[in-house]
Structure formats: C-alpha cells, structure tokens
Amino acid sequence: MNRFNLKDLTLILFIAFYVWSSSFENCCAREGRQYWRQSSKAVPASVLVKKPKGYNHAGRRMLSSAIFNVLDYGAKGDGQTDDTKAFEAAWAAACKVEASTMVVPSGSVFFVLPITFSGSSCEQNIVFQLDGKIIAPTSSQTWGSGLLQWLDFTNLKGFTIKGKGIIDGQGSVWWGDSGNMPSTKPTALRFYGSDGVTVTGITIQNSQQTHLKFDSCKTIQVYDINVSSPGDSPNTDGIHLQNSQDVVIYSTTLACGDDCVSIQTGCSNVYIHNVNCGPGHGISIGSLGKDNTKACVSNVTVRDIKMQNTMTGVRIKTWQGGSGSVQGIMFSNIQVSEVETPIMIDQYYCDKSKCQNESSAVAVSGIDYVNIQGTYKVKPVHFACSDNVPCTGVSLATINLEAAQENQSSNPFCWESFGELRTTTVPPIDCLQTGKSPIAKAQSTVDSC
C-alpha cells in the first residue's frame, strides 16, 4: 500500500511539473521574451540581441581607451633627432580609432619639421595629449622658400588638444634682420576647415609669426592656455580668427608682439572673456577690406579683460577702399594699465609709408563701449571714421580713462563718428556727434553682409 502511494505521488508530481513548464513557456512567448527557433541548434545570445558598435550592454556610448604614444612609433624625444615620421605614424594609427588619444609624453623634447595632421580619413573625437615639448627647426634649409604653417591640423571633427606641454616655434631666428630665413613666416599652430575644436592647457611660445590660428572653422573653444613671446617680436599675434564662427576664448593669458586676439573677415558669434593681454597690440577686429575686398564681421563680445602695456586696447581697423560691414560689437569691463590708446576705430588703417585715399569703406555700426577704465599713455579715445561711410551707432557708458603720467593728458579725437554718450565720461568725449549719419545709412544698404 505504501509502495503504491509513493509511485502515484511521483507520477502526479511529474505530470504537474510538465503542465507548469508548458504554461510558463507559452506565457513567456506571449510576453515576447522567448525567441522561438526552427532549427535544433542553439542561437547565441549575441545574435539574438545585437548592440550597436561602440555601445555597452546598457546602451551607453563607450569612449575609446586606445592610446598611441609617439615613443612607441620611434620618437626619440632628445630635442635633436627628427621625430616627424614618428608623429606621422602615431597620428595615422590614432586616426583609425574613434575617440583615441595620441600622446606626446612629458619629460621629452621632440624636434618636429613642418607637418600636417589631416583628418580627412580620420574617425571623430581624437585627442592630442600634449604633455612634453615640441620644438621647431631653425635652419633655413628646412623651410625652403617659406611655409604658411608649422603644425597644421585640417578637416577634423570633435578634436581636442590638451595638456601641460609646450609648443616652441624658436622664432627668434625669424625676428631679426639677419636675412637667413625666408620672408614668409609660418604660423606655429593652425586649424583649418574643422568643426568642434578645443584647445586647452598648453603653452605656445616664441612663434615664428602667429601663435594660434583658426581658419574656416566652427564651434571653437580655447581656454586655460598661455601664449608667450617678447613684445618686440614682429607679427606674432596671439590668436588669429578668420572665416570662423561660434568661437569662445576665455581664462587665457596672451603676451606677444602683435594683436593678442585678431578677428578677421568672415567671423561671427565670437565671445572673448576673462583674458589677460600684454604686451601686445590689444584685441582687434581687422584689419579689414585690404585691396578693395569685402569684409564681414558681426556679433562679437569682448568683456572682462585686463590689458597691460599694450599699443591699443579694443580696436577696429579697416582699410580705405574696402566694403562690407562690422556690426553688433560689445566691449565691456575692460581694465587698462598704461595702454597707449585704449579705445580706437581707425578706418584709415595703413601699414605702409603711404596709402591712397579712396571713397568706399567697410561700414562700422552698432559698437558699444561699457565700463572701460584705467590709464593711457598717448590718447584715451581715437575715432577716425570714413568721410563717405561714417561710423554710426557708437555708444559709450562708464568710461574713465586717465593719463598714466601727470601733464601728459590728451583730448579724445573723433572724425565722422556718430552715436551717444549714455553716461558722463572721463575725459568728456564731446567730439562724438549725436544721431545718425544719412550718408552711412545709404551706404550700408549697398555694402550689407
């Protein structure tokens, strides 16, 4: 009797388990959690649930951990051996991996000839980690008849150069009158045709000419960098912008022999703030309109700037004979110390001994100056505007500029400049004409950008 009951109990349990398992399988199928298979072979989970390349199991984007150190590609880093080919090889390898990092390590000095890092066949979001020092050649044979750039980055997307390293152009051999070097001087670090570029942390010093240039780029961020060259080094602009949009420059120190920041034609939506400038020529828009060309610059804000011992403070400079416009410009919270001319618009710019008088000009309008204070050495304000295309919409508020030395004060200068004084100024800028010029209004419809 006991044996019969045990068999019956076992059979009952078996039937119950079979029924339960069948119901569970059907339930899972209805809920879409079971993949049915027609073949008897098991299907790997990796086939059943495919994830996009570069994503983890949670569907989140994974950053590459690929590191390409130039020392692993033959660089010596002794400051004498030519490391150019090693840099080219490391770049070629890094380009194949999205979000990879090319490393120039600390503790070494790399001698690199003129080189182009092309992004035409590169993946996106490459990082150039510069912690060591890169130096330029000083032999005239290296440069031939002259080149426009030394370290050239082109056609990149989402590129970052960062680190505590140094780019040294060793430019002193170019600055003198020895005559050994080519007349065409290169820019130390140039970006061309790139989108989403960040430059941070590095130092660029003793450039042959311009230190850092952006040409035909967009979405640029520059911060926490240092530019350093002597105040008498010719044409060594700190940062040069042309045909570039959506630019932010901040928390940066610029010391050079020309404009700390130079903003050229084709630039718009430029925001510069918290920058130390000096020595140098100040922060300039232009020069624009050279050789009867059309130039367009708009929507530029320069604020929270300190300038020491510069030639000008905030300046707009255009050539006679040009066309186009400069409009929508704000200069605010500018602190100047022993600056020759803190506020300047010069529509008669000429870097030659003599330039021909011409009737057309780049139209300058909508220029705001707010809270500009400190000391000047030559003249507080200089507005020299075109006879045929006067400056309009110039406004000034909270201007307090005093002579750096006693008995050297000078009056503001205005020529064909129209606008308004929103507050009293020191010194009084009585030469600014109120209202708008009918001549400029007619001209602006022709040369509008």
Side-chain angles (χ1 to χ4, degrees):
M1 182 70 178
N2 293 337
R3 195 177 298 173
F4 175 79
N5 290 338
L6 182 60
K7 290 182 178 180
D8 288 347
L9 180 61
T10 303
L11 179 61
I12 291 170
L13 289 174
F14 177 79
I15 294 171
F17 177 79
Y18 178 80
V19 172
W20 175 82
S21 62
S22 299
S23 300
F24 178 78
E25 186 176 69
N26 290 333
C27 179
C28 291
R30 286 194 299 270
E31 292 181 358
R33 289 180 292 180
Q34 175 67 36
Y35 285 86
W36 290 96
R37 302 183 293 272
Q38 293 181 352
S39 68
S40 60
K41 295 182 180 179
V43 180
S46 60
V47 175
L48 293 176
V49 184
K50 287 190 175 181
K51 302 180 184 67
K53 183 180 180 181
Y55 288 79
N56 62 15
H57 67 278
R60 295 178 180 175
R61 188 71 176 177
M62 295 188 298
L63 295 178
S64 170
S65 59
I67 304 296
F68 300 89
N69 192 315
V70 295
L71 294 178
D72 296 332
Y73 290 83
K76 301 300 182 182
D78 58 12
Q80 297 179 347
T81 304
D82 182 1
D83 289 324
T84 309
K85 289 185 178 180
F87 273 62
E88 290 173 341
W91 177 258
C95 273
K96 298 176 182 178
V97 182
E98 183 175 357
S100 63
T101 300
M102 175 174 166
V103 174
V104 181
S106 61
S108 299
V109 179
F110 300 92
F111 176 71
V112 178
L113 303 181
I115 183 173
T116 295
F117 300 95
S118 176
S120 299
S121 58
C122 274
E123 296 292 338
Q124 298 185 17
N125 303 317
I126 307 297
V127 175
F128 192 100
Q129 183 72 39
L130 175 59
D131 292 317
K133 186 175 183 179
I134 303 175
I135 61 173
T138 56
S139 169
S140 59
Q141 287 83 0
T142 302
W143 301 96
S145 58
L147 296 173
L148 295 177
Q149 46 270 331
W150 168 35
L151 306 177
D152 190 27
F153 291 83
T154 67
N155 300 316
L156 298 160
K157 291 186 180 296
F159 177 82
T160 298
I161 179 169
K162 65 177 184 176
K164 301 299 181 182
I166 298 172
I167 293 173
D168 190 341
Q170 303 200 99
S172 59
V173 295
W174 300 79
W175 304 335
D177 297 324
S178 62
N180 293 330
M181 304 303 287
S183 58
T184 300
K185 303 175 184 178
T187 290
L189 175 61
R190 184 189 80 145
F191 290 91
Y192 176 81
S194 298
D195 184 0
V197 176
T198 298
V199 180
T200 181
I202 67 173
T203 293
I204 311 172
Q205 65 188 31
N206 302 321
S207 177
Q208 305 91 336
Q209 191 164 267
T210 299
H211 289 78
L212 174 60
K213 178 184 288 187
F214 295 93
D215 186 0
S216 302
C217 296
K218 59 183 179 180
T219 316
I220 301 163
Q221 184 174 212
V222 178
Y223 64 97
D224 291 338
I225 75 163
N226 288 284
V227 164
S228 178
S229 285
D232 60 354
S233 56
N235 303 120
T236 54
D237 294 71
I239 301 175
H240 181 98
L241 307 173
Q242 65 185 57
N243 296 314
S244 295
Q245 302 82 41
D246 304 323
V247 181
V248 180
I249 300 169
Y250 63 97
S251 300
T252 286
T253 297
L254 306 170
C256 54
D258 210 304
D259 296 322
C260 289
V261 182
S262 172
I263 303 169
Q264 300 295 323
T265 185
C267 291
S268 62
N269 300 331
V270 177
Y271 183 32
I272 302 168
H273 67 98
N274 296 99
V275 169
N276 292 327
C277 168
H281 292 182
I283 294 178
S284 297
I285 297 175
S287 59
L288 304 172
K290 187 176 182 180
D291 298 327
N292 305 107
T293 57
K294 184 174 183 177
C296 300
V297 175
S298 63
N299 194 18
V300 176
T301 296
V302 178
R303 62 175 301 160
D304 303 316
I305 308 295
K306 291 183 179 179
M307 298 189 181
Q308 308 85 28
N309 298 301
T310 56
M311 188 176 76
T312 64
V314 288
R315 172 172 58 162
I316 299 172
K317 49 181 178 176
T318 70
W319 292 76
Q320 294 186 74
S323 62
S325 69
V326 175
Q327 56 185 345
I329 313 298
M330 167 67 80
F331 300 113
S332 69
N333 299 338
I334 313 294
Q335 184 68 43
V336 297
S337 176
E338 297 192 351
V339 171
E340 293 185 18
T341 307
I343 298 174
M344 175 179 282
I345 298 176
D346 182 10
Q347 289 193 279
Y348 298 89
Y349 179 76
C350 177
D351 63 359
K352 308 172 185 177
S353 59
K354 185 178 181 181
C355 292
Q356 181 178 349
N357 289 329
E358 300 198 40
S359 58
S360 63
V362 178
V364 176
S365 63
I367 317 298
D368 295 325
Y369 301 90
V370 179
N371 192 27
I372 300 179
Q373 305 190 38
T375 59
Y376 68 90
K377 294 172 68 175
V378 177
K379 189 180 298 182
V381 176
H382 182 89
F383 292 146
C385 299
S386 168
D387 289 335
N388 296 314
V389 191
C391 301
T392 62
V394 177
S395 71
L396 300 105
T398 320
I399 308 299
N400 192 327
L401 298 170
E402 299 181 354
Q405 297 181 1
E406 295 182 5
N407 303 320
Q408 287 190 348
S409 62
S410 177
N411 294 324
F413 173 81
C414 305
W415 181 263
E416 293 296 339
S417 49
F418 294 79
E420 62 175 325
L421 300 177
R422 297 185 176 179
T423 67
T424 56
T425 63
V426 177
I429 308 176
D430 299 331
C431 58
L432 184 69
Q433 300 181 63
T434 59
K436 296 182 179 181
S437 167
I439 301 175
K441 184 176 181 180
Q443 183 72 20
S444 65
T445 60
V446 178
D447 292 332
S448 64
C449 295

